[in-house]
Amino acid sequence: RRANKRYAYAGLDADNLFKAVQSLYHDQVQPISRNVQCRLKEMDLPASALEHADTRRVQVIRDDDPLISCRYLLKKEDIPEGFQDFVDPLDPTDQYTPGFWNELGNYTVSRQGWEMKISNGRYGCAKHLLEMGLPCLEGFSLGRVTHVVEIALKQKKILGYCKGSIVPYARSDNKQKDDAAQSRARPDSEDTVMIESLEHLANLL
């Protein structure tokens, strides 16, 4: 058992876990399990090693929400100087300008943006958008861009989902569903008959 424990820790020791969590603080990304796993992959470390990580340098808080699982928090003395708070990606507040959304929307219908297909959720989509160097995102933290992605998905119809991946809204399953709903709601003038009375309805039947 001791040998197995040392082998598990060899993939993710206390220092590597600390570095992963600290980097999420710098990015204002909530250090919940799936985000820590994403960061470990970026560090060329196995995400699965988190389950057996040496947690002596962080505080682990378990959560009843299975989508969160655990929060990996730094001790007070290790929090980066100037850190204010994590960005809540689910905050429904749209704090961005119309011009901002126009620029982001124009990217998604450009030749480069049209091919976007991100399988790693808001986090992966935010990474992609930052890597594209869009002027409207200049100075934004990764955590801030995950919030932008959420608003673009849920409110602006700039992004959508296609078979689980994030894509431009025009290519998404969301658009197909919206179009189908609008089609069902739109009356067909040639086939629609206005019922004037119960007698009229009886005659039609």
Side-chain angles (χ1 to χ4, degrees):
R1 289 184 179 179
R2 290 180 180 177
N4 288 339
K5 188 174 183 180
R6 286 199 299 271
Y7 176 80
Y9 282 172
L12 188 59
D13 59 24
D15 288 341
N16 278 327
L17 178 58
F18 175 82
K19 290 176 183 177
V21 173
Q22 188 180 56
S23 68
L24 292 176
Y25 272 73
H26 282 295
D27 287 339
Q28 294 186 289
V29 173
Q30 295 180 355
I32 61 177
S33 295
R34 66 174 180 271
N35 290 338
V36 176
Q37 290 174 329
C38 287
R39 187 52 51 92
L40 291 174
K41 290 179 181 179
E42 294 165 11
M43 296 168 61
D44 294 324
L45 294 169
S48 58
L50 183 61
E51 185 177 349
H52 305 289
D54 185 340
T55 59
R56 286 175 291 180
R57 296 192 63 186
V58 299
Q59 302 175 56
V60 182
I61 300 177
R62 301 196 178 278
D63 197 289
D64 293 334
D65 186 343
L67 295 178
I68 293 176
S69 183
C70 292
R71 300 179 188 273
Y72 295 81
L73 304 178
L74 296 180
K75 299 173 183 178
K76 186 176 180 180
E77 61 270 21
D78 293 323
I79 295 176
E81 185 177 352
F83 174 76
Q84 296 180 350
D85 203 352
F86 301 110
V87 176
D88 179 5
L90 301 180
D91 181 357
T93 305
D94 177 7
Q95 54 192 272
Y96 314 102
T97 66
F100 172 91
W101 292 117
N102 286 337
E103 184 175 334
L104 186 63
N106 288 339
Y107 168 73
T108 65
V109 296
S110 68
R111 179 176 298 180
Q112 188 176 28
W114 184 255
E115 299 301 323
M116 182 178 70
K117 186 177 182 181
I118 309 297
S119 60
N120 197 17
R122 288 187 302 264
Y123 180 100
C125 188
K127 288 280 290 184
H128 169 81
L129 292 174
L130 281 176
E131 290 169 359
M132 293 301 99
L134 301 181
C136 65
L137 299 178
E138 185 176 355
F140 279 35
S141 67
L142 179 62
R144 176 59 56 198
V145 183
T146 62
H147 180 248
V148 168
V149 171
E150 176 71 8
I151 300 294
L153 283 165
K154 298 296 178 63
Q155 299 183 32
K156 297 298 180 178
K157 295 186 178 181
I158 291 175
L159 299 173
Y161 287 98
C162 180
K163 298 180 180 178
S165 296
I166 294 179
V167 299
Y169 174 76
R171 292 176 48 214
S172 69
D173 296 335
N174 306 75
K175 185 178 188 306
Q176 292 185 20
K177 292 177 181 178
D178 290 344
D179 288 348
Q182 290 179 6
S183 179
R184 289 193 297 270
R186 188 184 303 116
D188 187 334
S189 59
E190 294 182 0
D191 297 330
T192 301
V193 177
M194 298 299 295
I195 305 300
E196 299 174 358
S197 65
L198 289 176
E199 183 179 355
H200 183 196
L201 175 61
N203 290 334
L204 290 174
L205 295 175

